[in-house]
Amino acid sequence: MGVESYSESIICLLSETDIQTRIGELAGEITRDYADSSLLVVGVLNGAVLFLADLIRQIDIPLEYDFIGLRSYNGSVSNGPLEVTRRLNTDVTGKRVLIVEDIIDTGRTLCESCIIDTIAANGAVDVRVCSLLDKPARRTHQICIDYTGFVIEDRFVVGYGLDYNGLFRNLPYVGCFEQEPDL
Ligand code: IMP
Ligand code: MG
């Protein structure tokens, strides 16, 4: 794929400005809700990296962050076995934990990994979920999303951390393909 054609076939759904404006609003809510708490932000690799980096820079309270690696995707289909590719290395005892995801689609990754329950069982004061995107049409596992950036339709999206076969994560916006890939 040539450099010029890299993002040519992608239709922008959420512009860089849309995303950054919404992140400012979410960060404001989080700052208010966690004032006077010990906040640990846990990003789910690899997709949540860009969102987490922008979000935490607008949260105006002291916080720690760490990452957990969960992978369920083969190409674009989330039917592969769920793999923990990185464990959390930070002690969660006595902390309020905010899990940051790029997208909640079926809900399977967060549910089957049991990370919410595991973090709570390890002594966290409470565990909440913040997701940039929510695609409710395909939900098979119920997940309570405490902070949602955008609710989107049932389209396969890429950009701003979201990939197709490992690519397109570096786009500063979220878009979809003119022609939906074979899923
Ligand atoms: P879930 O387990 O089906 O909720 O999916 C969670 C993970 O699947 C997300 O963290 C993403 O990495 C990936 N995913 C779900 N939908 C999409 C999409 O439309 N584009 C790219 N990745 C997606
Ligand atoms: Mg992900």
Side-chain angles (χ1 to χ4, degrees):
M1 188 179 278
V3 169
E4 312 90 298
S5 64
Y6 181 67
S7 57
E8 215 165 63
S9 57
I10 296 177
I11 302 160
C12 177
L13 294 179
L14 301 168
S15 71
E16 205 172 342
T17 308
D18 295 337
I19 294 170
Q20 296 305 329
T21 302
R22 184 69 187 121
I23 288 176
E25 293 167 358
L26 290 174
E29 269 183 62
I30 293 166
T31 300
R32 281 191 296 279
D33 293 354
Y34 288 86
D36 308 318
S37 316
S38 305
L39 175 59
L40 169 62
V41 177
V42 174
V44 181
L45 294 173
N46 294 326
V49 169
L50 277 71
F51 177 40
L52 181 144
D54 286 339
L55 181 69
I56 58 172
R57 282 181 286 180
Q58 296 206 53
I59 298 177
D60 192 19
I61 52 169
L63 59 79
E64 294 173 275
Y65 72 86
D66 198 353
F67 293 98
I68 183 169
L70 302 173
R71 191 169 53 200
S72 65
Y73 260 55
N74 284 332
S76 59
V77 184
S78 65
N79 59 3
L82 190 76
E83 238 185 293
V84 178
T85 55
R86 186 188 194 275
R87 293 187 179 283
L88 198 60
N89 286 324
T90 305
D91 183 12
V92 300
T93 313
K95 292 173 190 165
R96 300 187 67 188
V97 176
L98 182 63
I99 296 173
V100 173
E101 257 286 27
D102 51 359
I103 186 167
I104 307 289
D105 182 20
T106 63
R108 182 178 160 242
T109 305
L110 286 192
C111 257
E112 284 188 8
S113 64
C114 299
I115 62 163
I116 297 174
D117 292 346
T118 304
I119 290 171
N122 286 339
V125 173
D126 76 343
V127 187
R128 291 186 183 174
V129 175
C130 173
S131 185
L132 177 71
L133 305 177
D134 175 14
K135 206 198 279 182
R138 284 169 33 93
R139 196 79 90 253
T140 53
H141 296 66
Q142 284 322 305
I143 287 282
C144 170
I145 312 175
D146 301 282
Y147 304 93
T148 303
F150 303 90
V151 178
I152 61 164
E153 288 176 15
D154 186 9
R155 304 281 314 252
F156 189 81
V157 291
V158 292
Y160 199 68
L162 292 134
D163 73 304
Y164 176 63
N165 284 337
L167 297 176
F168 304 103
R169 291 193 198 273
N170 57 317
L171 299 176
Y173 57 89
V174 170
C176 61
F177 295 103
E178 268 171 40
Q179 276 193 307
E180 191 96 348
D182 289 334
L183 301 178

